[in-house]
Amino acid sequence: MTRSRSTVAQALVRFLAAQYTERDGVRRRLITATWGIFGHGNVAGIGQALVEYPGLMPYHQGRNEQAMVHAAVGYARQSNRLQTHAVTTSIGPGATNLVTGAALATVNRLPVLLLPGDTFATRPADPVLQQLEVPYAGEVSVNDCLRPVSKYFDRVTRPEALIPAALAAMRVLTDPAETGAVTLALPQDVQAEAHDWPEEFFAERTWTVRRPRPDTAELDAAVRAVRSARRPMIIAGGGVKHSAAEDALRTLAERVCLPVATTQAGKGVLPWDHRCDAGGIGHTGTGTANALARTSDLVIGVGTRYTDFTTASGTLFRPGTRFLNLNITGVDAHKQAATLPLVADAREGLTALTEALGDHQQHAVQWIFSKQDWQERTDAVYAAPDPRARPTQIQVLGVLDSLVTADDILINAAGSLPGDLHRLWRARSSDQYHVEYGYSCMGYEIPAAIGVALAAPGRPVWALVGDGTYLMNPTELVTAVQEELPIKVVILQNHGYASIGGLSEAVGAERYGTDYRRRDGGGGFTGPPLPVDLAANAASLGMRVLRAHTVRDLREALADAREATVPTCVYAETETADSVSGAPSGGAWWDVPVAATSTRPSAVGAREEYERHVTARRRHL
């Protein structure tokens, strides 16, 4: 067996450069780049290896470790989970900063490879800088924080252990039913240790991304359920996009005449003006989709996790509703106590179901739904009759809606924008709507836009952020400038946490601590908003900034930004955090427990309202 001598870090870089995925006959490189911030835990290991083999692995310099994971996740999502990036950090705070990003990746079932440095395996000195001392377990380090948020975790304490660990990592990254964050913790001394490696370890390896077909018995039961249903509907989730099953979904919906409602992750699987598209479902959904859900006797869930926003905390569907869940993971296929699981790849399962149903439409009792009322309500809140007025947040979306094409990609994650977008945005293509709402992580948008721009060069990529989200994580703007990526960042300034402020008011917490004002003597906040200029901040980080004071300014600025070839920020003052969003309600509840006892009238009233809603919650058995 031929062997070559190199360090562990060098071997890992060579190995990663030779890994590929293949699905539907198309072969792609799996790890296309590595993000890194270097410190004493990885600079002499992975850092040196990237210098050793500059032609094998492109490198991107990040400013915050969590943000680097978000960029990798954005890239992976835009690549339909068939490609991703690696992220390397030093030990200590560099490693623990990965935890939030790892949780986001795993919650959303998106692959990312994490390579945090670790403390010395040989323990030449104990403790070393940034080491967490655990009296009862000498082998524990801060990297163990990544265990519960990783789909696979290993600590490579010997050079020869890299081979099985690296192979296991690739297996999980490329498994559509198991993928998420994968962590290989790398002690800094082991990274720099030399070893004689078998050349076979560096040979190109192709990982087939499987498309499992449905079990015959489960498919037969599914067909019987659809044939016997009087008012069936589909809820499409992100699994439809991951499987590239949009055409298969459209074929089934059109042939059988099924309405399709979408989760946050699934929005866009049908164009907004398709006759079968009913819009978003659940707490942030449309009145159209939620009305269908309340009268449906069979819900066909495709690639959805059924979060509380989708089910309106268990209050949306009527008693006796049956659930037919098509999902590549068994745990998701059995949710809602589904008696009709269909464990399969979304595209294969939809195709098999359509074929097995045959000409079912001719014999089914069809039902008709209309989107006209909801579209009229959307037009009304999008409208900005006075071009000289300051725009509302929804009017910003309305202006942007009038400018984009199917080529544009919108990214958002937190605040009041996800609700407005889910209810109102008119998605024109399957990948236009990129809202991370599994973890709803403030600070995701800007780094994710960078990842998406790397995966989809030449397409307009928009990061929509409120002021609260912007302040969480603006530093990757420097990365966009350094990489010369013409992302478009829209900052909406409303001087506070508008979404959580509204929720605080609804649960009797009286918007405490949700706006940006100076403190008063009683522990509260008063006075005018703080004199914070986020546009100046973005400009100081190298962004080209366009300020929009009116609706007319906004239209000109967004049109300018869309055509820009450099990173550009559009800054707009909108309504204050004391105001509500203004989006029409979809009429679905969300369970946030309210104080059971209180001396304050606002909390007492909120509790009464809570108890009224909670009685409608049900378990589907």
Side-chain angles (χ1 to χ4, degrees):
M1 179 183 294
T2 305
R3 291 181 175 270
S4 63
R5 190 166 182 81
S6 63
T7 69
V8 168
Q10 292 165 358
L12 180 57
V13 168
R14 291 177 62 190
F15 170 82
L16 294 178
Q19 306 307 302
Y20 292 81
T21 62
E22 184 173 318
R23 189 175 73 175
D24 302 332
V26 180
R27 188 168 180 259
R28 304 169 177 85
R29 179 164 162 173
L30 173 58
I31 309 295
T32 63
T34 294
W35 288 88
I37 296 176
F38 296 114
H40 69 89
N42 64 343
V43 65
I46 297 293
Q48 192 282 327
L50 292 171
V51 174
E52 189 82 13
Y53 304 116
L56 289 183
M57 181 65 66
Y59 165 72
H60 300 299
Q61 182 182 37
R63 270 73 197 172
N64 175 278
E65 291 86 358
Q66 180 189 136
M68 294 194 299
V69 185
H70 293 336
V73 167
Y75 182 92
R77 175 169 170 172
Q78 186 63 30
S79 304
N80 268 349
R81 307 194 301 184
L82 299 172
Q83 297 179 295
T84 188
H85 289 160
V87 178
T88 180
T89 71
S90 64
I91 65 176
T96 52
N97 280 350
L98 295 174
V99 173
T100 296
L104 181 147
T106 296
V107 164
N108 286 283
R109 317 290 209 265
L110 293 168
V112 61
L113 177 61
L114 308 180
L115 305 173
D118 212 327
T119 51
F120 288 81
T122 54
R123 305 183 193 174
D126 192 24
V128 297
L129 179 64
Q130 297 181 326
Q131 179 178 337
L132 175 71
E133 292 186 86
V134 181
Y136 60 83
E139 82 282 3
V140 172
S141 78
V142 296
N143 283 332
D144 289 276
C145 295
L146 288 159
R147 288 182 183 269
V149 293
S150 298
K151 295 295 287 187
Y152 178 81
F153 179 98
D154 202 351
R155 180 177 282 111
V156 182
T157 57
R158 291 288 305 148
E160 55 268 33
L162 176 65
I163 294 176
L167 292 171
M170 299 304 105
R171 172 186 58 80
V172 175
L173 287 173
T174 58
D175 186 337
E178 292 294 329
T179 196
V182 168
T183 300
L184 295 182
L186 303 170
Q188 60 174 313
D189 51 347
V190 176
Q191 288 185 51
E193 190 172 342
H195 185 70
D196 293 325
W197 305 94
E199 282 294 337
E200 289 83 355
F201 183 53
F202 307 120
E204 289 190 359
R205 189 181 300 266
T206 300
W207 302 82
T208 300
V209 179
R210 62 182 66 91
R211 287 191 179 277
R213 296 181 178 180
D215 175 80
T216 301
E218 289 186 347
L219 180 61
D220 289 345
V223 170
R224 291 194 297 272
V226 175
R227 287 184 179 276
S228 63
R230 305 291 292 180
R231 299 177 70 84
M233 70 176 296
I234 293 173
I235 295 180
V240 177
K241 295 184 180 181
H242 298 328
S243 176
E246 294 89 346
D247 289 344
L249 176 70
R250 182 185 297 107
T251 298
L252 174 64
E254 291 175 349
R255 186 170 298 179
V256 185
C257 196
L258 293 170
V260 178
T262 53
T263 68
Q264 285 278 14
K267 187 176 175 75
V269 292
L270 293 180
W272 72 275
D273 55 355
H274 189 280
R275 63 184 176 88
C276 294
D277 178 67
I281 189 79
H283 178 62
T284 55
T286 67
T288 304
N290 290 337
L292 291 171
R294 290 190 177 93
T295 56
S296 176
D297 60 347
L298 177 68
V299 174
I300 306 169
V302 185
T304 178
R305 299 186 299 125
Y306 286 110
T307 68
D308 59 343
F309 263 65
T310 298
T311 68
S313 298
T315 64
L316 186 57
F317 308 107
R318 71 181 188 180
T321 299
R322 292 194 296 169
F323 292 87
L324 164 58
N325 295 335
L326 167 57
N327 206 293
I328 199 166
T329 64
V331 64
D332 290 322
H334 284 86
K335 286 179 178 175
Q336 297 293 97
T339 56
L340 296 163
L342 190 60
V343 181
D345 169 77
R347 193 190 72 179
E348 295 300 309
L350 288 167
T351 300
L353 184 59
T354 302
E355 292 174 351
L357 284 168
D359 60 354
H360 169 65
Q361 180 183 2
Q362 296 177 11
H363 309 291
V365 175
Q366 303 302 324
W367 52 317
I368 300 172
F369 69 96
S370 173
K371 299 186 290 186
Q372 181 176 353
D373 174 68
W374 192 262
Q375 293 306 326
E376 289 174 351
R377 297 172 74 181
T378 300
D379 290 338
V381 294
Y382 270 0
D386 184 358
R388 299 165 298 178
R390 174 184 292 180
T392 66
Q393 176 170 288
I394 292 178
Q395 287 170 349
V396 173
L397 299 183
V399 174
L400 188 59
D401 175 83
S402 70
L403 295 172
V404 302
T405 69
D407 208 31
D408 294 68
I409 302 170
L410 272 66
I411 301 171
N412 184 244
S416 55
L417 275 167
D420 293 346
L421 287 163
H422 197 208
R423 290 190 182 101
L424 305 174
W425 187 257
R426 294 162 170 165
R428 295 155 173 80
S429 60
S430 177
D431 65 349
Q432 179 176 84
Y433 188 87
H434 182 132
V435 173
E436 186 285 300
Y437 213 59
Y439 210 48
S440 188
C441 184
M442 296 177 73
Y444 171 80
E445 294 90 340
I446 293 172
I450 292 171
V452 170
L454 290 170
R459 294 180 62 179
V461 179
W462 300 85
L464 309 181
V465 298
D467 51 334
T469 290
Y470 178 84
L471 287 170
M472 286 278 182
N473 197 7
T475 53
E476 296 311 310
L477 292 179
V478 178
T479 303
V481 172
Q482 181 181 41
E483 299 274 351
E484 299 181 319
L485 295 171
I487 63 171
K488 299 90 172 60
V489 179
V490 180
I491 303 176
L492 304 181
Q493 172 65 278
N494 55 24
H495 301 287
Y497 301 120
S499 175
I500 205 67
L503 178 61
S504 173
E505 187 173 54
V507 300
E510 302 175 22
R511 293 185 176 267
Y512 181 79
T514 62
D515 60 358
Y516 300 151
R517 302 178 190 273
R518 299 188 188 278
R519 287 186 175 275
D520 61 23
F525 301 86
T526 188
L530 295 175
V532 176
D533 190 340
L534 300 185
N537 177 262
S540 75
L541 298 177
M543 294 288 287
R544 173 175 176 253
V545 176
L546 306 172
R547 294 177 183 263
H549 302 285
T550 67
V551 173
R552 180 184 291 118
D553 294 342
L554 179 69
R555 178 174 294 278
E556 294 174 356
L558 292 175
D560 186 327
R562 188 175 186 275
E563 301 303 320
T565 58
V566 297
T568 301
C569 171
V570 175
Y571 175 85
E573 291 253 2
T574 61
E575 58 194 15
T576 68
D578 292 331
S579 304
V580 296
S581 165
S585 172
W589 183 61
W590 182 42
D591 187 352
V592 177
V594 178
T597 62
S598 176
T599 60
R600 302 184 71 85
S602 61
V604 172
R607 179 67 187 190
E608 292 173 353
E609 181 73 4
Y610 176 80
E611 290 177 349
R612 182 179 70 83
H613 281 289
V614 81
T615 57
R617 186 167 54 203
R618 62 186 69 91
R619 293 189 182 277
H620 297 277
L621 301 171

